[in-house]
Amino acid sequence: MAPSSDQRTTTDDHVIVEAQVRDYGFSPAQQDEIWKRWREGQSFSLIGRALGAPMQHARRFLYQSGGVRLAPQTRSERHLSGSEREEISRGLAAGESARQLAKRLGRSPSTVSREIARNGGRDRYRAASADAAAYERGRRPKQAKLAQRPALRALVEAKLALCWSPEQIAGWLRRQFPGDASMQISHEAIYLSLYDPRRRQAIDHSFTQKLRSSRLMRRPKIARRPTGRGIIRGMVSITDRPTEVEDRRVPATGRATS
């Protein structure tokens, strides 16, 4: 079974390096269907039956990424496009200034000036190479934040060992290190470091056993919603009980009285 194309993605605290994702015989359309059904909270057996594939294949496909899907890299509309870089290249050849080019493109003059300066200047600017360099800069493969900062990782692991939740750890770090972004991390980044096998260098994955769920794979939020079992329907909070119950002169409903 051949691996699918390499993927990269960016979250608030991580930039993910390339990772190969095995397709386990599923077509791109089937893979989309698996992720759709997984987000809906369906079980492995239901997903397998819907796709006419063994349950184990669906489970292995999802387990390889820890239940976290990587989105393909996309370019923000705020960044210059390839056609805009072609316009800059032609404008420079015609002797136009950065300010003239910016006005024509509807961009800030500083944006165009920086684009020209970082790609060889007016004499050496080429649209194709500038666009390729921008794409590489956007990918910026680097280690996860916890792998880069041993002190932060040590604190996070110490709190996980005490069975703190990632939400508690993130909040504690914000209070302990106000204004120091290098010693803070979001709870989502901690979860991703624990569950995504492509972040093995970030943290010890055995700490998933210290979480309240103790799962080795992240479940979608909809699958964690309460099902209604064990919940009293129409329950009235104790804070809303009538005042006459305070003096105990009114017997409870259904209670035998003498």
Side-chain angles (χ1 to χ4, degrees):
M1 287 169 279
S4 64
S5 59
D6 293 341
Q7 298 178 352
R8 295 174 185 245
T9 188
T10 303
T11 63
D12 65 344
D13 289 304
H14 291 74
V15 178
I16 308 306
V17 185
E18 281 179 319
Q20 287 189 333
V21 179
R22 294 187 62 184
D23 57 31
Y24 287 95
F26 295 115
S27 67
Q30 288 177 315
Q31 293 176 38
D32 289 339
E33 184 67 16
I34 290 174
W35 283 112
K36 174 179 173 292
R37 292 177 178 274
W38 178 246
R39 286 193 299 269
E40 291 173 353
Q42 294 189 18
S43 65
F44 297 127
S45 57
L46 281 176
I47 294 173
R49 284 200 297 270
L51 273 70
M55 176 190 72
Q56 294 87 344
H57 287 191
R59 180 170 57 194
R60 289 168 185 164
F61 174 78
L62 290 164
Y63 257 104
Q64 68 182 329
S65 61
V68 180
R69 187 179 193 180
L70 287 183
Q73 182 181 353
T74 58
R75 299 199 189 192
S76 169
E77 294 181 356
R78 297 182 295 106
H79 299 156
L80 291 170
S81 65
S83 59
E84 287 177 312
R85 290 189 170 95
E86 289 287 352
E87 285 293 319
I88 292 173
S89 182
R90 285 192 290 266
L92 291 175
E96 290 185 74
S97 67
R99 188 170 293 277
Q100 289 174 312
L101 288 167
K103 184 177 181 180
R104 182 148 57 85
L105 294 172
R107 295 283 187 173
S108 167
S110 60
T111 298
V112 177
S113 296
R114 285 195 301 269
E115 168 70 14
I116 295 170
R118 71 162 62 102
N119 291 288
R122 297 182 63 88
D123 296 332
R124 298 176 58 190
Y125 185 89
R126 298 293 183 272
S129 57
D131 198 56
Y135 183 74
E136 288 300 319
R137 286 194 298 270
R139 293 167 76 173
R140 293 179 297 121
K142 62 181 182 181
Q143 289 181 310
K145 188 172 186 177
L146 289 177
Q148 288 181 310
R149 305 192 179 280
L152 177 61
R153 171 177 174 166
L155 285 175
V156 171
E157 289 186 336
K159 296 302 182 184
L160 287 171
L162 296 174
C163 297
W164 282 33
S165 71
E167 289 85 354
Q168 289 174 313
I169 297 170
W172 179 80
L173 288 169
R174 284 194 297 271
R175 293 190 298 273
Q176 290 293 116
F177 305 98
D180 186 357
S182 66
M183 291 300 293
Q184 297 180 24
I185 189 170
S186 70
H187 68 275
E188 180 66 14
I190 297 175
Y191 276 118
L192 291 176
S193 295
L194 286 167
Y195 283 109
D196 192 340
R198 287 154 292 199
R199 294 177 171 89
R200 291 192 186 280
Q201 80 285 4
I203 199 170
D204 185 351
H205 284 216
S206 67
F207 281 110
T208 54
Q209 299 302 307
K210 295 291 185 178
L211 298 178
R212 288 159 191 169
S213 67
S214 299
R215 292 192 184 98
L216 297 176
M217 181 179 179
R218 196 169 191 193
R219 298 283 295 179
K221 288 183 179 180
I222 192 170
R224 301 194 294 269
R225 292 177 183 172
T227 60
R229 297 176 63 184
I231 298 176
I232 301 174
R233 299 184 182 275
M235 181 176 63
V236 178
S237 171
I238 193 171
T239 59
D240 298 330
R241 63 186 181 178
T243 55
E244 52 265 28
V245 304
E246 298 296 339
D247 54 16
R248 300 178 180 270
R249 285 184 293 184
V250 180
T253 304
R255 198 176 196 175
T257 58
S258 54

